[in-house]
Amino acid sequence: MGRANRVVLAYSGGVDTSVCIPYLKQEWGIKEVITLAADLGQGDELGPIQEKALRCGAIESLVIDGKEEFARDYAFAAIRANALYENRYPLSTALARPLIAKLLVEAAEKYGADAVAHGCTAKGNDQVRFDVGIMALNPKLRVLAPAREWNMSREETIAYGERFGVESPVKKSSPYSIDRNLLGRSIEAGPLEDPMTEPSEEIYLMTRAIADTPDEPEYVDIGFEKGNPVSLNGKALDPVTLISQLNEMVGKHGIGRLDMIENRVVGIKSREIYEAPALLVLIDAHRDLESLTLAGDVTQYKRGLEDTYAQLIYRGLWYSPLKEALDAFIDKTQERVTGTVRMKLFKGNANVVGRQSENSIYEPDLATYGADDQFDHKAAEGFIYIWGLPTRVWSQKTRG
Ligand code: ARG
């Protein structure tokens, strides 16, 4: 394969992606590197990052605000699907990757690049999500992953960068590897590599320690429309504001931490700490509203698909025919999922304490144990006779 002339590189401003700029040019003969930094709410100042890419030798340094799209088209889709990988991880990092892949492909097409690049290493999930996302969106583009091949230690990477004008990091580098965006933080490596070592309190930034949480519970009413969160305590909010405010509100009560051993796509087990306060609470609230508004068999069937949906996101198949087909099913179910869920936040727990909906199919006259009961009690006996018939016959034949 011939050399790429112009490359769009996913850029974070960190050492690895900065070193990718001279590396692509020096080692792989790329003529022009355009960097792209996506603002997905990671809280970095993007002005300095933009400057830094140019100092490292990029011919153009793009910064794109993707927060709104991230919340609306990625996070909310995952909430509608109640997507939790291995029943726990709400995919806060994983969801950002298909959007970054899409922004890279759009930039490559706009600037006439023949390849895109990223700084992922060979052991993680993110390389899979970028590579597969990019090939799904534009199979003609080549994907370059220098850090997957360069085999340099951290010190060697820094030293390599210094030779080509990449400043070495000012802060003493943390032992942790951290990914952050609007939805949460993922923390791994360093002392966390021992699965028996308790995470030190200082790694958490979005959630308080229980010892520091308020001594009074707080309630929040979360409003949903067609499965999408739209309001907090009756106030309509845009998706980004809603998630940010809810992060604050529930993180203050110590809600939203996870400590888990997960199975990566590449077969490695890894120990990961997550903070995803709003996302976890939104999924709980959403799932509850579904149980009020959806027919029982629809709910059960959908629960069976949710794990598949979470796996698709985790494994880099956001842009795939199965994901599209599942979306069609999920979107149909969500037409009814409008209403409000009341959560009580207290000492690390967010519990659903109430729910209501104009589409509720809860029928008080059937459910009540009081005088208004409309349920036909006599019908129960005949129903059980027929329901239990095969069991009775089986027992007669086999127990004698
Ligand atoms: N394990 C998580 C995932 O695959 C997060 C990985 C993010 N990176 C990190 N440095 N913790 O989605």
Side-chain angles (χ1 to χ4, degrees):
M1 222 184 315
R3 280 183 170 164
N5 285 318
R6 180 179 279 191
V7 167
V8 179
L9 166 71
Y11 189 62
S12 71
V15 176
D16 286 327
T17 56
S18 295
V19 169
C20 281
I21 303 171
Y23 193 93
L24 283 166
K25 299 201 298 186
Q26 300 298 326
E27 314 300 323
W28 289 5
I30 309 292
K31 292 204 186 68
E32 296 171 330
V33 177
I34 297 171
T35 58
L36 185 152
D39 180 3
L40 302 185
Q42 59 272 48
D44 291 336
E45 265 194 80
L46 290 161
I49 288 183
Q50 188 164 30
E51 290 286 299
K52 187 170 179 188
L54 298 172
R55 283 201 305 279
C56 295
I59 56 150
E60 178 93 54
S61 175
L62 310 170
V63 168
I64 296 176
D65 181 354
K67 292 194 292 293
E68 179 75 24
E69 194 175 0
F70 183 43
R72 194 190 55 226
D73 297 346
Y74 295 78
F76 282 11
I79 291 167
R80 293 196 298 275
N82 301 316
L84 294 172
Y85 180 65
E86 296 186 333
N87 268 316
R88 299 181 72 196
Y89 165 43
L91 300 155
S92 33
T93 288
L95 284 163
R97 305 314 182 199
L99 173 54
I100 296 171
K102 175 169 167 270
L103 297 174
L104 287 170
V105 169
E106 283 169 0
E109 288 167 355
K110 178 164 169 205
Y111 289 86
D114 35 22
V116 294
H118 59 72
C120 300
T121 61
K123 287 170 75 172
N125 295 316
D126 288 330
Q127 53 166 349
V128 180
R129 298 169 185 150
F130 281 131
D131 287 27
V132 177
I134 292 158
M135 67 182 79
L137 292 170
N138 186 339
K140 290 198 199 74
L141 281 171
R142 287 172 60 192
V143 186
L144 308 177
R148 189 155 60 197
E149 295 174 34
W150 66 33
N151 258 319
M152 293 190 281
S153 68
R154 181 143 186 100
E155 292 69 36
E156 287 164 350
T157 310
I158 293 170
Y160 182 93
E162 277 172 347
R163 276 171 49 207
F164 297 100
V166 178
E167 310 103 273
S168 50
V170 265
K171 285 183 297 197
K172 191 179 155 298
S173 71
S174 126
Y176 302 105
S177 159
I178 299 171
D179 179 73
R180 142 133 237 198
N181 62 44
L182 173 71
L183 303 179
R185 295 174 70 246
S186 307
I187 309 135
E188 62 184 339
L192 300 172
E193 284 176 4
D194 175 0
M196 191 59 185
T197 298
E198 182 178 352
S200 109
E201 194 52 45
E202 87 219 357
I203 68 167
Y204 298 106
L205 290 182
M206 301 176 81
T207 54
R208 286 195 202 171
I210 303 297
D212 303 326
T213 59
D215 289 322
E216 292 298 317
E218 185 175 348
Y219 291 85
V220 57
D221 284 356
I222 304 175
F224 288 89
E225 250 171 57
K226 295 192 177 7
N228 298 307
V230 292
S231 67
L232 295 180
N233 292 326
K235 191 161 185 283
L237 297 170
D238 68 81
V240 177
T241 311
L242 188 144
I243 293 174
S244 324
Q245 286 192 6
L246 195 61
N247 273 333
E248 281 283 320
M249 200 184 287
V250 306
K252 194 172 80 197
H253 290 273
I255 296 155
R257 294 183 179 182
L258 290 174
D259 175 341
M260 64 186 278
I261 306 289
E262 75 189 34
N263 293 290
R264 286 194 195 158
V265 188
V266 292
I268 302 171
K269 281 194 191 291
S270 77
R271 201 277 186 93
E272 194 93 37
I273 307 297
Y274 295 106
E275 294 186 282
L279 190 54
L280 284 165
V281 168
L282 288 169
I283 291 174
D284 269 355
H286 174 263
R287 199 200 283 111
D288 190 274
L289 188 59
E290 285 187 330
S291 53
L292 184 70
T293 53
L294 299 184
D297 56 354
V298 174
T299 311
Q300 275 172 26
Y301 196 81
K302 181 169 180 287
R303 296 290 175 266
L305 300 179
E306 290 171 355
D307 186 54
T308 305
Y309 199 93
Q311 289 186 37
L312 284 177
I313 297 172
Y314 192 86
R315 297 181 180 158
L317 299 173
W318 182 269
Y319 306 109
S320 69
L322 180 55
K323 157 83 167 37
E324 267 180 44
L326 291 178
D327 275 334
F329 173 83
I330 291 171
D331 290 350
K332 177 68 193 168
T333 64
Q334 299 302 295
E335 287 171 4
R336 302 187 50 77
V337 188
T338 295
T340 302
V341 178
R342 179 165 299 163
M343 309 288 298
K344 182 177 183 174
L345 315 173
F346 191 50
K347 297 289 175 200
N349 294 308
N351 292 317
V352 177
V353 293
R355 70 288 276 163
Q356 65 179 27
S357 168
E358 65 204 32
N359 297 330
S360 168
I361 42 180
Y362 172 84
E363 182 49 83
D365 291 345
L366 287 176
T368 183
Y369 289 100
D372 302 335
D373 187 6
Q374 297 294 312
F375 184 75
D376 179 355
H377 289 231
K378 285 194 303 296
E381 198 183 327
F383 163 73
I384 295 166
Y385 173 78
I386 292 172
W387 170 248
L389 193 57
T391 305
R392 184 200 307 271
V393 172
W394 170 78
S395 182
Q396 282 163 349
K397 298 283 181 200
T398 58
R399 291 181 197 271

